[in-house]
Amino acid sequence: MSDIPFTLDQLRILKAIAAEGSFKRAADTLYVSQPAVSLQVQNLEKQLNVPLFDRGGRKAQLTEAGHLLLSYGEKIITLCQETCRALEDLQNLQGGTLIVGASQTTGTYLLPRMIGLFRHKYPDVAVQLQVHSTRRTSWGVANGQVDLAIIGGEVPAELQDILRIIPYAEDELALILPIDHPLAKASTIQKDDLYRLNFISLDSQSTIRKVIDKVLTRCEIDTKRLKIEMELNSIEAIKNAVQAGLGAAFVSITAIEKELQLGGIYVASIKEIEVRRTLSVIINPNRYRSKAAEAFIQEILPEFSTYPELLTLEHFSTAANELGEVVSSMAKT
């Protein structure tokens, strides 16, 4: 093939159909008509001389060739987006976009404050916050779809050699009780007291629940002996349930600042046990890092970190940041 037999628009359409599972829903997300989407797919299949979709079922299913094109197409689209952001950087933070990722707890309770501080300093930079599981967030950073992320779980093993993982902050997992609970009168409680409490927790399959259970086990707390009376689907629901007197729970200390100020819950101290986990910053050192990302790293991250000495740009860099060097040379010419 002497000419490239597809366009970026066709790749975007292919990606949308694969994500939505139908031509109609893909057309809706792209704000075009369904016939226009169908025509683009027909032209693409004609140009490539292969079928991309199995049209036998109700849902649009990719063929083997379709999966292959989608895999490369997503990389092409990501690189194009990265190029556009690099060019926007030439405006020296007078525009551009910063994409920050986070796992559920950090994204809900920590990142909004950090982003607010950044936006106060750089109001012309658009900021996107993407809150997903640690696994999905890590892949977003690895694929260049996210500039940097703060996570509370473990980076998938297959990405640990690709990503730079830097300890960021110590996050206490607080034992919260209703303010009128009998143990709320004690200065400290014993570890064995935990096994007599009724606990409220997230679903056993949730990522946050697994992280909390792993931290508790590391602190020699037998999670199998904890009496789980109720499982809810959010931290907010758990806090409300504890305030209503329905049981106890372990939650991140960052999630209960407002409740502590208002005196709505009690944080119990467990004798000789501190339940903590380490939050980490992750970046892909082999991807282009925008000036907005560097400003966030230098000026915002240290404000909330337990380890600010680890947050120098040298810790986030590699010897080769080739796209960054290209952009710098463009700016000088």
Side-chain angles (χ1 to χ4, degrees):
M1 300 180 188
S2 57
D3 296 323
I4 297 175
F6 50 77
T7 66
L8 283 176
D9 280 342
Q10 289 172 330
L11 294 181
R12 288 176 60 243
I13 288 171
L14 180 73
K15 182 178 178 181
I17 297 171
E20 298 297 331
S22 84
F23 282 50
K24 184 181 185 305
R25 288 197 295 272
D28 291 341
T29 61
L30 296 172
Y31 301 102
V32 297
S33 68
Q34 183 176 342
V37 167
S38 298
L39 180 61
Q40 286 280 23
V41 172
Q42 290 171 14
N43 289 339
L44 181 57
E45 290 178 322
K46 187 183 297 183
Q47 289 157 205
L48 295 172
N49 197 30
V50 291
L52 299 174
F53 290 95
D54 181 359
R55 292 171 172 81
R58 295 180 61 185
K59 186 177 180 181
Q61 297 281 358
L62 288 169
T63 62
E64 184 178 359
H67 280 293
L68 181 63
L69 181 60
L70 177 64
S71 174
Y72 281 98
E74 288 178 330
K75 295 175 184 177
I76 292 168
I77 291 170
T78 297
L79 187 56
C80 288
Q81 292 169 338
E82 196 172 291
T83 302
C84 291
R85 293 173 58 206
L87 291 171
E88 287 174 349
D89 255 2
L90 298 180
Q91 301 176 38
N92 195 26
L93 287 176
Q94 298 303 307
T97 303
L98 172 68
I99 305 175
V100 182
S103 50
Q104 296 291 337
T105 303
T106 57
T108 303
Y109 301 103
L110 176 62
L111 262 302
R113 286 182 288 166
M114 301 174 73
I115 290 172
L117 183 58
F118 181 82
R119 289 279 293 146
H120 181 73
K121 289 189 172 188
Y122 301 104
D124 295 326
V125 177
V127 182
Q128 296 179 19
L129 173 59
Q130 298 186 6
V131 181
H132 300 293
S133 68
T134 292
R135 181 176 184 82
R136 183 171 172 183
T137 298
S138 298
W139 275 104
V141 175
N143 293 333
Q145 297 165 336
V146 176
D147 289 312
L148 70 146
I150 300 178
I151 57 171
E154 291 185 6
V155 172
E158 62 268 28
L159 296 180
Q160 291 184 6
D161 291 336
I162 297 172
L163 300 179
R164 184 68 51 83
I165 307 167
I166 300 173
Y168 180 65
E170 292 299 310
D171 180 35
E172 178 185 354
L173 295 178
L175 172 63
I176 60 174
L177 300 168
I179 54 175
D180 59 354
H181 193 282
L183 289 178
K185 298 180 176 64
S187 57
T188 61
I189 68 172
Q190 304 296 320
K191 184 170 72 171
D192 285 346
D193 290 328
L194 297 175
Y195 307 127
R196 290 187 285 272
L197 292 172
N198 294 326
F199 274 91
I200 305 164
S201 73
L202 294 167
D203 180 86
S204 60
Q205 297 305 310
S206 76
T207 302
I208 302 175
R209 167 76 176 275
K210 292 176 181 178
V211 169
I212 291 175
D213 284 354
K214 187 173 292 187
V215 173
L216 294 176
T217 300
R218 196 164 61 234
C219 293
E220 298 183 348
I221 295 171
D222 187 353
T223 57
K224 294 180 180 179
R225 291 179 60 190
L226 298 179
K227 292 190 292 184
I228 309 298
E229 292 292 316
M230 188 182 303
E231 292 185 342
L232 301 175
N233 63 359
S234 73
I235 300 296
E236 289 299 308
I238 287 175
K239 292 190 298 180
N240 290 334
V242 172
Q243 290 185 82
L246 300 179
F250 280 102
V251 298
S252 168
I253 197 73
T254 61
I256 56 172
E257 291 183 358
K258 181 174 67 176
E259 287 77 13
L260 290 177
Q261 290 173 358
L262 297 175
I265 55 176
Y266 176 78
V267 175
S269 175
I270 308 171
K271 187 175 182 180
E272 298 180 351
I273 292 179
E274 287 188 351
V275 185
R276 295 179 179 271
R277 62 172 178 166
T278 300
L279 304 180
S280 301
V281 177
I282 57 173
I283 58 105
N284 186 337
N286 297 309
R287 290 281 184 179
Y288 171 71
R289 186 167 58 244
S290 68
K291 290 181 181 178
E294 292 196 350
F296 193 87
I297 291 168
Q298 287 183 298
E299 301 173 32
I300 306 302
L301 288 183
E303 293 288 328
F304 300 84
S305 178
T306 310
Y307 312 104
E309 69 279 2
L310 298 180
L311 300 175
T312 61
L313 288 177
E314 288 76 12
H315 283 89
F316 288 81
S317 302
T318 59
N321 192 348
E322 298 177 349
L323 185 53
E325 293 171 0
V326 170
V327 173
S328 296
S329 65
M330 288 172 61
K332 294 175 183 177
T333 57

